[in-house]
Amino acid sequence: FIASGYIHRKAHAMYIAGGDEEDLIQEGMIGLYKAVQDYDAGREASFATFASMCINRNMCTAVAKSNRNAGSG
């Protein structure tokens, strides 16, 4: 699990969905930070699975928020 490459690929894919690529990379890094803070090794999921879930959630939330703000103007 190489976080930086994963985050960049996700950001590039989500850029098409209406997000700014650099902002999405930053949101992905924040998601990774949250994963490091919240990971519980006693759970069933591997860190890679948990981290990808946190990264995806953070990036999807940012795109959704960006799309809501774009439509309100």
Side-chain angles (χ1 to χ4, degrees):
F1 181 73
I2 307 296
S4 179
Y6 177 79
I7 291 169
H8 280 82
R9 283 191 306 276
K10 291 297 288 186
H12 184 70
M14 289 184 160
Y15 174 74
I16 295 167
D20 178 63
E21 195 166 2
E22 289 298 318
D23 289 344
L24 287 170
I25 291 169
Q26 185 174 8
E27 290 294 333
M29 291 297 192
I30 292 168
L32 177 61
Y33 176 79
K34 289 178 181 178
V36 169
Q37 295 296 310
D38 297 340
Y39 181 67
D40 179 4
R43 296 269 183 164
E44 296 284 323
S46 68
F47 177 74
T49 300
F50 183 72
S52 64
M53 182 195 68
C54 292
I55 291 165
N56 288 338
R57 181 177 51 213
N58 228 53
M59 293 171 90
C60 287
T61 300
V63 169
K65 193 179 292 187
S66 174
N67 289 340
R68 273 195 309 267
N69 290 342
S72 66

Short mmCIF file of all heavy atoms in Angstrom, two decimals:
data_model
loop_
_atom_site.label_atom_id
_atom_site.label_comp_id
_atom_site.label_asym_id
_atom_site.label_seq_id
_atom_site.Cartn_x
_atom_site.Cartn_y
_atom_site.Cartn_z
N PHE A 1 0.86 -1.19 0.00
CA PHE A 1 0.00 0.00 0.00
C PHE A 1 0.89 1.23 0.00
O PHE A 1 1.53 1.55 0.99
CB PHE A 1 -0.91 -0.02 1.24
CG PHE A 1 -1.84 1.15 1.31
CD1 PHE A 1 -2.93 1.22 0.46
CD2 PHE A 1 -1.65 2.15 2.21
CE1 PHE A 1 -3.81 2.28 0.53
CE2 PHE A 1 -2.52 3.22 2.30
CZ PHE A 1 -3.60 3.27 1.44
N ILE A 2 0.99 1.89 -1.13
CA ILE A 2 1.77 3.12 -1.26
C ILE A 2 0.78 4.28 -1.28
O ILE A 2 0.10 4.52 -2.28
CB ILE A 2 2.64 3.11 -2.53
CG1 ILE A 2 3.50 1.85 -2.61
CG2 ILE A 2 3.49 4.36 -2.62
CD1 ILE A 2 4.52 1.71 -1.50
N ALA A 3 0.70 4.98 -0.18
CA ALA A 3 -0.35 5.99 0.02
C ALA A 3 -0.29 7.12 -0.99
O ALA A 3 -1.31 7.51 -1.55
CB ALA A 3 -0.27 6.53 1.44
N SER A 4 0.88 7.66 -1.23
CA SER A 4 0.98 8.83 -2.10
C SER A 4 0.49 8.54 -3.51
O SER A 4 -0.28 9.31 -4.09
CB SER A 4 2.42 9.33 -2.12
OG SER A 4 2.53 10.44 -2.96
N GLY A 5 0.93 7.43 -4.08
CA GLY A 5 0.49 7.06 -5.42
C GLY A 5 -1.00 6.80 -5.47
O GLY A 5 -1.69 7.20 -6.42
N TYR A 6 -1.50 6.12 -4.44
CA TYR A 6 -2.93 5.82 -4.37
C TYR A 6 -3.74 7.13 -4.32
O TYR A 6 -4.72 7.29 -5.03
CB TYR A 6 -3.21 4.97 -3.13
CG TYR A 6 -4.67 4.67 -2.92
CD1 TYR A 6 -5.30 3.68 -3.67
CD2 TYR A 6 -5.42 5.37 -1.99
CE1 TYR A 6 -6.64 3.40 -3.49
CE2 TYR A 6 -6.75 5.10 -1.80
CZ TYR A 6 -7.37 4.11 -2.55
OH TYR A 6 -8.69 3.85 -2.37
N ILE A 7 -3.32 8.05 -3.48
CA ILE A 7 -4.02 9.32 -3.33
C ILE A 7 -3.99 10.11 -4.64
O ILE A 7 -5.01 10.67 -5.06
CB ILE A 7 -3.43 10.14 -2.16
CG1 ILE A 7 -3.76 9.45 -0.84
CG2 ILE A 7 -3.94 11.58 -2.18
CD1 ILE A 7 -3.03 10.02 0.36
N HIS A 8 -2.86 10.15 -5.31
CA HIS A 8 -2.76 10.88 -6.57
C HIS A 8 -3.66 10.27 -7.64
O HIS A 8 -4.30 10.98 -8.40
CB HIS A 8 -1.30 10.94 -7.05
CG HIS A 8 -0.51 12.00 -6.36
ND1 HIS A 8 0.06 11.80 -5.12
CD2 HIS A 8 -0.20 13.26 -6.72
CE1 HIS A 8 0.68 12.91 -4.76
NE2 HIS A 8 0.53 13.81 -5.71
N ARG A 9 -3.71 8.92 -7.71
CA ARG A 9 -4.58 8.27 -8.70
C ARG A 9 -6.04 8.57 -8.40
O ARG A 9 -6.83 8.86 -9.31
CB ARG A 9 -4.35 6.76 -8.70
CG ARG A 9 -3.09 6.35 -9.42
CD ARG A 9 -3.01 4.86 -9.64
NE ARG A 9 -3.14 4.07 -8.42
CZ ARG A 9 -2.16 3.80 -7.57
NH1 ARG A 9 -0.95 4.26 -7.81
NH2 ARG A 9 -2.37 3.06 -6.50
N LYS A 10 -6.43 8.52 -7.13
CA LYS A 10 -7.82 8.81 -6.75
C LYS A 10 -8.15 10.27 -7.05
O LYS A 10 -9.24 10.57 -7.53
CB LYS A 10 -8.06 8.52 -5.26
CG LYS A 10 -8.03 7.07 -4.88
CD LYS A 10 -9.12 6.27 -5.54
CE LYS A 10 -10.47 6.60 -4.95
NZ LYS A 10 -11.55 5.76 -5.46
N ALA A 11 -7.23 11.17 -6.76
CA ALA A 11 -7.47 12.59 -7.01
C ALA A 11 -7.65 12.85 -8.49
O ALA A 11 -8.53 13.61 -8.89
CB ALA A 11 -6.31 13.43 -6.46
N HIS A 12 -6.84 12.19 -9.32
CA HIS A 12 -6.96 12.37 -10.76
C HIS A 12 -8.31 11.86 -11.25
O HIS A 12 -8.97 12.51 -12.06
CB HIS A 12 -5.82 11.65 -11.48
CG HIS A 12 -5.83 11.88 -12.95
ND1 HIS A 12 -5.51 13.10 -13.51
CD2 HIS A 12 -6.13 11.06 -13.98
CE1 HIS A 12 -5.62 13.01 -14.82
NE2 HIS A 12 -5.99 11.78 -15.14
N ALA A 13 -8.75 10.74 -10.74
CA ALA A 13 -10.04 10.18 -11.13
C ALA A 13 -11.19 11.06 -10.66
O ALA A 13 -12.17 11.27 -11.37
CB ALA A 13 -10.20 8.77 -10.57
N MET A 14 -11.10 11.58 -9.45
CA MET A 14 -12.17 12.41 -8.89
C MET A 14 -12.16 13.82 -9.46
O MET A 14 -13.17 14.51 -9.37
CB MET A 14 -12.08 12.45 -7.37
CG MET A 14 -12.43 11.17 -6.72
SD MET A 14 -12.39 11.38 -4.95
CE MET A 14 -13.37 10.00 -4.46
N TYR A 15 -11.06 14.24 -10.03
CA TYR A 15 -10.98 15.55 -10.66
C TYR A 15 -12.05 15.66 -11.74
O TYR A 15 -12.68 16.68 -11.90
CB TYR A 15 -9.58 15.75 -11.24
CG TYR A 15 -9.43 17.01 -12.05
CD1 TYR A 15 -9.37 18.24 -11.42
CD2 TYR A 15 -9.36 16.96 -13.44
CE1 TYR A 15 -9.22 19.40 -12.15
CE2 TYR A 15 -9.22 18.12 -14.18
CZ TYR A 15 -9.16 19.34 -13.53
OH TYR A 15 -9.02 20.48 -14.25
N ILE A 16 -12.28 14.57 -12.44
CA ILE A 16 -13.30 14.53 -13.48
C ILE A 16 -14.68 14.76 -12.88
O ILE A 16 -15.55 15.35 -13.51
CB ILE A 16 -13.23 13.18 -14.24
CG1 ILE A 16 -11.89 13.09 -14.97
CG2 ILE A 16 -14.40 13.01 -15.20
CD1 ILE A 16 -11.56 11.71 -15.49
N ALA A 17 -14.88 14.34 -11.64
CA ALA A 17 -16.17 14.48 -10.97
C ALA A 17 -16.40 15.89 -10.44
O ALA A 17 -17.41 16.15 -9.80
CB ALA A 17 -16.29 13.47 -9.82
N GLY A 18 -15.47 16.80 -10.66
CA GLY A 18 -15.71 18.19 -10.30
C GLY A 18 -14.84 18.73 -9.18
O GLY A 18 -15.09 19.82 -8.69
N GLY A 19 -13.83 18.00 -8.76
CA GLY A 19 -12.97 18.51 -7.71
C GLY A 19 -11.69 19.09 -8.27
O GLY A 19 -11.29 18.77 -9.38
N ASP A 20 -11.03 19.97 -7.52
CA ASP A 20 -9.72 20.49 -7.89
C ASP A 20 -8.68 19.46 -7.47
O ASP A 20 -8.67 19.01 -6.33
CB ASP A 20 -9.48 21.82 -7.18
CG ASP A 20 -8.11 22.38 -7.49
OD1 ASP A 20 -7.85 22.68 -8.67
OD2 ASP A 20 -7.30 22.51 -6.55
N GLU A 21 -7.81 19.07 -8.38
CA GLU A 21 -6.89 17.95 -8.13
C GLU A 21 -5.99 18.19 -6.93
O GLU A 21 -5.82 17.30 -6.08
CB GLU A 21 -6.07 17.65 -9.37
CG GLU A 21 -5.39 16.31 -9.31
CD GLU A 21 -4.84 15.86 -10.65
OE1 GLU A 21 -4.96 16.59 -11.65
OE2 GLU A 21 -4.28 14.76 -10.67
N GLU A 22 -5.41 19.37 -6.79
CA GLU A 22 -4.53 19.65 -5.66
C GLU A 22 -5.29 19.62 -4.34
O GLU A 22 -4.79 19.11 -3.34
CB GLU A 22 -3.82 21.00 -5.84
CG GLU A 22 -2.77 20.98 -6.93
CD GLU A 22 -1.63 20.01 -6.64
OE1 GLU A 22 -1.16 19.93 -5.48
OE2 GLU A 22 -1.21 19.31 -7.58
N ASP A 23 -6.51 20.16 -4.34
CA ASP A 23 -7.34 20.12 -3.13
C ASP A 23 -7.68 18.68 -2.77
O ASP A 23 -7.70 18.31 -1.60
CB ASP A 23 -8.63 20.92 -3.32
CG ASP A 23 -8.39 22.42 -3.36
OD1 ASP A 23 -7.28 22.86 -2.94
OD2 ASP A 23 -9.28 23.15 -3.80
N LEU A 24 -7.95 17.86 -3.78
CA LEU A 24 -8.28 16.47 -3.53
C LEU A 24 -7.09 15.70 -2.98
O LEU A 24 -7.25 14.85 -2.10
CB LEU A 24 -8.80 15.81 -4.81
CG LEU A 24 -10.20 16.24 -5.20
CD1 LEU A 24 -10.53 15.74 -6.60
CD2 LEU A 24 -11.23 15.72 -4.21
N ILE A 25 -5.90 16.01 -3.46
CA ILE A 25 -4.70 15.38 -2.91
C ILE A 25 -4.55 15.75 -1.44
O ILE A 25 -4.29 14.89 -0.59
CB ILE A 25 -3.45 15.77 -3.72
CG1 ILE A 25 -3.52 15.13 -5.12
CG2 ILE A 25 -2.16 15.38 -3.00
CD1 ILE A 25 -2.50 15.65 -6.10
N GLN A 26 -4.77 17.01 -1.14
CA GLN A 26 -4.69 17.45 0.26
C GLN A 26 -5.74 16.73 1.11
O GLN A 26 -5.45 16.27 2.22
CB GLN A 26 -4.87 18.96 0.35
CG GLN A 26 -4.68 19.49 1.75
CD GLN A 26 -4.72 21.00 1.80
OE1 GLN A 26 -5.04 21.66 0.83
NE2 GLN A 26 -4.41 21.55 2.95
N GLU A 27 -6.96 16.62 0.60
CA GLU A 27 -8.01 15.92 1.34
C GLU A 27 -7.67 14.45 1.53
O GLU A 27 -7.95 13.87 2.58
CB GLU A 27 -9.36 16.05 0.62
CG GLU A 27 -9.94 17.44 0.65
CD GLU A 27 -10.34 17.90 2.05
OE1 GLU A 27 -10.65 17.06 2.92
OE2 GLU A 27 -10.35 19.12 2.28
N GLY A 28 -7.04 13.85 0.52
CA GLY A 28 -6.60 12.47 0.65
C GLY A 28 -5.55 12.31 1.73
O GLY A 28 -5.57 11.34 2.51
N MET A 29 -4.63 13.24 1.80
CA MET A 29 -3.59 13.20 2.83
C MET A 29 -4.20 13.37 4.23
O MET A 29 -3.77 12.73 5.18
CB MET A 29 -2.53 14.27 2.58
CG MET A 29 -1.69 14.02 1.37
SD MET A 29 -0.74 12.49 1.53
CE MET A 29 0.37 12.66 0.16
N ILE A 30 -5.22 14.21 4.33
CA ILE A 30 -5.92 14.38 5.61
C ILE A 30 -6.60 13.06 5.98
O ILE A 30 -6.58 12.64 7.15
CB ILE A 30 -6.93 15.54 5.54
CG1 ILE A 30 -6.18 16.87 5.42
CG2 ILE A 30 -7.85 15.54 6.76
CD1 ILE A 30 -7.06 18.05 5.06
N GLY A 31 -7.21 12.40 4.99
CA GLY A 31 -7.83 11.10 5.24
C GLY A 31 -6.81 10.08 5.72
O GLY A 31 -7.08 9.28 6.63
N LEU A 32 -5.61 10.09 5.12
CA LEU A 32 -4.54 9.19 5.55
C LEU A 32 -4.13 9.50 6.99
O LEU A 32 -3.94 8.59 7.80
CB LEU A 32 -3.35 9.31 4.61
CG LEU A 32 -2.13 8.47 4.98
CD1 LEU A 32 -2.47 6.98 4.98
CD2 LEU A 32 -0.99 8.75 4.00
N TYR A 33 -4.01 10.77 7.31
CA TYR A 33 -3.66 11.17 8.68
C TYR A 33 -4.70 10.66 9.67
O TYR A 33 -4.36 10.12 10.73
CB TYR A 33 -3.53 12.70 8.76
CG TYR A 33 -3.27 13.19 10.16
CD1 TYR A 33 -1.99 13.11 10.70
CD2 TYR A 33 -4.29 13.72 10.94
CE1 TYR A 33 -1.75 13.55 11.99
CE2 TYR A 33 -4.05 14.16 12.22
CZ TYR A 33 -2.78 14.08 12.75
OH TYR A 33 -2.54 14.50 14.03
N LYS A 34 -5.98 10.81 9.31
CA LYS A 34 -7.05 10.32 10.18
C LYS A 34 -6.97 8.81 10.35
O LYS A 34 -7.21 8.28 11.44
CB LYS A 34 -8.42 10.70 9.62
CG LYS A 34 -8.72 12.18 9.72
CD LYS A 34 -10.07 12.49 9.11
CE LYS A 34 -10.39 13.96 9.16
NZ LYS A 34 -11.69 14.26 8.52
N ALA A 35 -6.60 8.11 9.27
CA ALA A 35 -6.46 6.65 9.34
C ALA A 35 -5.35 6.26 10.31
O ALA A 35 -5.52 5.34 11.11
CB ALA A 35 -6.18 6.08 7.95
N VAL A 36 -4.24 6.98 10.25
CA VAL A 36 -3.12 6.69 11.16
C VAL A 36 -3.56 6.93 12.60
O VAL A 36 -3.25 6.14 13.49
CB VAL A 36 -1.89 7.56 10.79
CG1 VAL A 36 -0.82 7.48 11.87
CG2 VAL A 36 -1.33 7.13 9.45
N GLN A 37 -4.30 8.00 12.83
CA GLN A 37 -4.75 8.33 14.18
C GLN A 37 -5.77 7.33 14.73
O GLN A 37 -5.75 7.01 15.91
CB GLN A 37 -5.36 9.74 14.22
CG GLN A 37 -4.39 10.85 13.92
CD GLN A 37 -3.31 10.96 14.97
OE1 GLN A 37 -3.57 11.00 16.15
NE2 GLN A 37 -2.06 10.97 14.51
N ASP A 38 -6.67 6.86 13.86
CA ASP A 38 -7.82 6.09 14.33
C ASP A 38 -7.70 4.57 14.15
O ASP A 38 -8.57 3.84 14.61
CB ASP A 38 -9.09 6.55 13.59
CG ASP A 38 -9.44 7.99 13.89
OD1 ASP A 38 -8.96 8.53 14.91
OD2 ASP A 38 -10.18 8.60 13.08
N TYR A 39 -6.66 4.10 13.50
CA TYR A 39 -6.57 2.67 13.21
C TYR A 39 -6.45 1.86 14.50
O TYR A 39 -5.69 2.18 15.39
CB TYR A 39 -5.37 2.37 12.31
CG TYR A 39 -5.25 0.90 11.97
CD1 TYR A 39 -6.20 0.27 11.20
CD2 TYR A 39 -4.19 0.15 12.45
CE1 TYR A 39 -6.10 -1.07 10.89
CE2 TYR A 39 -4.07 -1.19 12.15
CZ TYR A 39 -5.04 -1.80 11.37
OH TYR A 39 -4.94 -3.13 11.08
N ASP A 40 -7.22 0.79 14.56
CA ASP A 40 -7.21 -0.13 15.69
C ASP A 40 -6.73 -1.48 15.16
O ASP A 40 -7.46 -2.16 14.43
CB ASP A 40 -8.61 -0.24 16.29
CG ASP A 40 -8.68 -1.19 17.46
OD1 ASP A 40 -7.63 -1.73 17.88
OD2 ASP A 40 -9.79 -1.41 17.96
N ALA A 41 -5.53 -1.88 15.53
CA ALA A 41 -4.94 -3.12 15.02
C ALA A 41 -5.73 -4.35 15.47
O ALA A 41 -5.61 -5.41 14.87
CB ALA A 41 -3.49 -3.23 15.46
N GLY A 42 -6.55 -4.22 16.48
CA GLY A 42 -7.36 -5.33 16.97
C GLY A 42 -8.56 -5.63 16.09
O GLY A 42 -9.23 -6.65 16.27
N ARG A 43 -8.84 -4.78 15.15
CA ARG A 43 -9.97 -4.99 14.24
C ARG A 43 -9.61 -5.98 13.15
O ARG A 43 -8.45 -6.29 12.95
CB ARG A 43 -10.39 -3.65 13.60
CG ARG A 43 -10.90 -2.63 14.57
CD ARG A 43 -12.37 -2.79 14.70
NE ARG A 43 -12.91 -1.76 15.58
CZ ARG A 43 -14.16 -1.48 15.63
NH1 ARG A 43 -15.02 -2.11 14.87
NH2 ARG A 43 -14.60 -0.57 16.45
N GLU A 44 -10.62 -6.41 12.43
CA GLU A 44 -10.42 -7.38 11.34
C GLU A 44 -9.70 -6.78 10.13
O GLU A 44 -8.98 -7.46 9.44
CB GLU A 44 -11.77 -7.94 10.90
CG GLU A 44 -12.50 -8.72 11.97
CD GLU A 44 -11.90 -10.11 12.17
OE1 GLU A 44 -11.49 -10.72 11.17
OE2 GLU A 44 -11.85 -10.56 13.33
N ALA A 45 -9.93 -5.52 9.83
CA ALA A 45 -9.41 -4.90 8.61
C ALA A 45 -7.91 -4.60 8.73
O ALA A 45 -7.42 -4.22 9.79
CB ALA A 45 -10.15 -3.60 8.32
N SER A 46 -7.22 -4.75 7.60
CA SER A 46 -5.81 -4.37 7.56
C SER A 46 -5.73 -2.84 7.55
O SER A 46 -6.72 -2.15 7.26
CB SER A 46 -5.15 -4.93 6.31
OG SER A 46 -5.67 -4.30 5.15
N PHE A 47 -4.53 -2.33 7.83
CA PHE A 47 -4.37 -0.89 7.78
C PHE A 47 -4.63 -0.35 6.38
O PHE A 47 -5.25 0.69 6.22
CB PHE A 47 -2.98 -0.45 8.25
CG PHE A 47 -2.79 1.02 8.13
CD1 PHE A 47 -3.40 1.90 9.01
CD2 PHE A 47 -2.04 1.56 7.09
CE1 PHE A 47 -3.27 3.27 8.88
CE2 PHE A 47 -1.89 2.93 6.96
CZ PHE A 47 -2.50 3.78 7.86
N ALA A 48 -4.18 -1.08 5.36
CA ALA A 48 -4.37 -0.63 3.97
C ALA A 48 -5.85 -0.49 3.65
O ALA A 48 -6.26 0.50 3.03
CB ALA A 48 -3.70 -1.60 3.00
N THR A 49 -6.65 -1.44 4.06
CA THR A 49 -8.09 -1.38 3.82
C THR A 49 -8.71 -0.20 4.56
O THR A 49 -9.50 0.57 3.99
CB THR A 49 -8.76 -2.69 4.26
OG1 THR A 49 -8.19 -3.76 3.52
CG2 THR A 49 -10.26 -2.64 4.06
N PHE A 50 -8.35 -0.04 5.81
CA PHE A 50 -8.89 1.05 6.62
C PHE A 50 -8.45 2.40 6.07
O PHE A 50 -9.26 3.33 5.96
CB PHE A 50 -8.44 0.90 8.08
CG PHE A 50 -9.00 1.94 9.00
CD1 PHE A 50 -10.34 1.93 9.36
CD2 PHE A 50 -8.19 2.95 9.49
CE1 PHE A 50 -10.86 2.90 10.19
CE2 PHE A 50 -8.71 3.93 10.33
CZ PHE A 50 -10.05 3.90 10.68
N ALA A 51 -7.18 2.52 5.68
CA ALA A 51 -6.66 3.78 5.16
C ALA A 51 -7.35 4.15 3.85
O ALA A 51 -7.73 5.31 3.65
CB ALA A 51 -5.15 3.71 4.96
N SER A 52 -7.53 3.17 2.95
CA SER A 52 -8.18 3.48 1.68
C SER A 52 -9.62 3.93 1.91
O SER A 52 -10.11 4.82 1.23
CB SER A 52 -8.11 2.31 0.71
OG SER A 52 -8.82 1.20 1.19
N MET A 53 -10.30 3.34 2.89
CA MET A 53 -11.66 3.76 3.22
C MET A 53 -11.66 5.22 3.73
O MET A 53 -12.48 6.02 3.30
CB MET A 53 -12.26 2.85 4.28
CG MET A 53 -13.70 3.20 4.63
SD MET A 53 -14.27 2.42 6.14
CE MET A 53 -13.27 3.26 7.36
N CYS A 54 -10.74 5.55 4.61
CA CYS A 54 -10.66 6.91 5.15
C CYS A 54 -10.31 7.92 4.06
O CYS A 54 -10.89 9.01 4.00
CB CYS A 54 -9.63 6.98 6.26
SG CYS A 54 -10.07 6.09 7.76
N ILE A 55 -9.38 7.57 3.19
CA ILE A 55 -8.97 8.45 2.09
C ILE A 55 -10.15 8.69 1.16
O ILE A 55 -10.47 9.83 0.82
CB ILE A 55 -7.76 7.86 1.35
CG1 ILE A 55 -6.52 7.91 2.25
CG2 ILE A 55 -7.51 8.60 0.04
CD1 ILE A 55 -5.37 7.04 1.76
N ASN A 56 -10.81 7.60 0.75
CA ASN A 56 -11.95 7.72 -0.16
C ASN A 56 -13.06 8.56 0.46
O ASN A 56 -13.65 9.42 -0.21
CB ASN A 56 -12.51 6.34 -0.51
CG ASN A 56 -11.60 5.58 -1.44
OD1 ASN A 56 -10.79 6.16 -2.14
ND2 ASN A 56 -11.73 4.27 -1.43
N ARG A 57 -13.37 8.32 1.72
CA ARG A 57 -14.44 9.06 2.39
C ARG A 57 -14.12 10.55 2.43
O ARG A 57 -14.97 11.39 2.12
CB ARG A 57 -14.65 8.51 3.80
CG ARG A 57 -15.78 9.23 4.54
CD ARG A 57 -16.02 8.64 5.91
NE ARG A 57 -14.78 8.54 6.65
CZ ARG A 57 -14.51 7.58 7.52
NH1 ARG A 57 -15.36 6.62 7.75
NH2 ARG A 57 -13.36 7.58 8.18
N ASN A 58 -12.89 10.88 2.76
CA ASN A 58 -12.52 12.30 2.86
C ASN A 58 -12.59 12.98 1.49
O ASN A 58 -13.07 14.10 1.37
CB ASN A 58 -11.11 12.42 3.45
CG ASN A 58 -11.05 13.43 4.55
OD1 ASN A 58 -11.83 13.36 5.49
ND2 ASN A 58 -10.13 14.35 4.45
N MET A 59 -12.11 12.30 0.47
CA MET A 59 -12.11 12.87 -0.87
C MET A 59 -13.53 12.99 -1.43
O MET A 59 -13.88 14.00 -2.04
CB MET A 59 -11.22 12.05 -1.79
CG MET A 59 -9.75 12.14 -1.42
SD MET A 59 -8.71 10.99 -2.32
CE MET A 59 -8.30 12.00 -3.72
N CYS A 60 -14.35 11.98 -1.22
CA CYS A 60 -15.74 12.02 -1.70
C CYS A 60 -16.53 13.12 -1.01
O CYS A 60 -17.33 13.82 -1.65
CB CYS A 60 -16.42 10.68 -1.49
SG CYS A 60 -15.85 9.40 -2.62
N THR A 61 -16.30 13.29 0.27
CA THR A 61 -16.97 14.36 1.01
C THR A 61 -16.56 15.72 0.46
O THR A 61 -17.40 16.61 0.31
CB THR A 61 -16.62 14.27 2.51
OG1 THR A 61 -17.06 13.00 3.00
CG2 THR A 61 -17.28 15.37 3.32
N ALA A 62 -15.29 15.89 0.13
CA ALA A 62 -14.80 17.16 -0.42
C ALA A 62 -15.44 17.44 -1.77
O ALA A 62 -15.84 18.58 -2.05
CB ALA A 62 -13.28 17.14 -0.53
N VAL A 63 -15.56 16.42 -2.63
CA VAL A 63 -16.18 16.61 -3.95
C VAL A 63 -17.65 16.97 -3.78
O VAL A 63 -18.14 17.90 -4.42
CB VAL A 63 -16.02 15.35 -4.83
CG1 VAL A 63 -16.89 15.43 -6.07
CG2 VAL A 63 -14.57 15.16 -5.23
N ALA A 64 -18.35 16.26 -2.90
CA ALA A 64 -19.76 16.54 -2.68
C ALA A 64 -19.96 17.95 -2.14
O ALA A 64 -20.85 18.68 -2.60
CB ALA A 64 -20.35 15.52 -1.71
N LYS A 65 -19.11 18.36 -1.22
CA LYS A 65 -19.20 19.71 -0.66
C LYS A 65 -18.91 20.76 -1.73
O LYS A 65 -19.60 21.78 -1.81
CB LYS A 65 -18.23 19.86 0.50
CG LYS A 65 -18.47 21.10 1.35
CD LYS A 65 -17.48 21.17 2.50
CE LYS A 65 -17.73 20.08 3.49
NZ LYS A 65 -16.90 20.19 4.71
N SER A 66 -17.93 20.50 -2.58
CA SER A 66 -17.59 21.42 -3.65
C SER A 66 -18.74 21.54 -4.64
O SER A 66 -19.07 22.66 -5.09
CB SER A 66 -16.35 20.91 -4.37
OG SER A 66 -16.07 21.69 -5.50
N ASN A 67 -19.37 20.43 -4.98
CA ASN A 67 -20.50 20.46 -5.91
C ASN A 67 -21.72 21.17 -5.32
O ASN A 67 -22.42 21.87 -6.03
CB ASN A 67 -20.87 19.04 -6.35
CG ASN A 67 -19.84 18.44 -7.28
OD1 ASN A 67 -19.05 19.16 -7.88
ND2 ASN A 67 -19.82 17.13 -7.37
N ARG A 68 -21.94 21.02 -4.02
CA ARG A 68 -23.04 21.74 -3.36
C ARG A 68 -22.78 23.23 -3.38
O ARG A 68 -23.67 24.03 -3.67
CB ARG A 68 -23.19 21.28 -1.90
CG ARG A 68 -24.06 20.09 -1.71
CD ARG A 68 -24.45 19.91 -0.26
NE ARG A 68 -23.33 19.92 0.65
CZ ARG A 68 -22.68 18.84 1.07
NH1 ARG A 68 -23.01 17.66 0.62
NH2 ARG A 68 -21.68 18.93 1.91
N ASN A 69 -21.56 23.62 -3.09
CA ASN A 69 -21.21 25.06 -3.08
C ASN A 69 -21.27 25.65 -4.48
O ASN A 69 -21.64 26.81 -4.65
CB ASN A 69 -19.82 25.27 -2.47
CG ASN A 69 -19.80 25.00 -0.98
OD1 ASN A 69 -20.83 24.97 -0.32
ND2 ASN A 69 -18.62 24.76 -0.44
N ALA A 70 -20.90 24.89 -5.48
CA ALA A 70 -20.94 25.39 -6.86
C ALA A 70 -22.37 25.63 -7.33
O ALA A 70 -22.63 26.55 -8.08
CB ALA A 70 -20.24 24.40 -7.81
N GLY A 71 -23.28 24.84 -6.85
CA GLY A 71 -24.67 24.98 -7.27
C GLY A 71 -25.45 26.03 -6.50
O GLY A 71 -26.51 26.46 -6.92
N SER A 72 -24.89 26.52 -5.40
CA SER A 72 -25.62 27.49 -4.57
C SER A 72 -25.37 28.93 -4.98
O SER A 72 -25.96 29.84 -4.43
CB SER A 72 -25.26 27.30 -3.10
OG SER A 72 -23.89 27.62 -2.89
N GLY A 73 -24.46 29.17 -5.91
CA GLY A 73 -24.07 30.52 -6.29
C GLY A 73 -24.90 31.02 -7.35
O GLY A 73 -25.55 31.87 -7.67
#
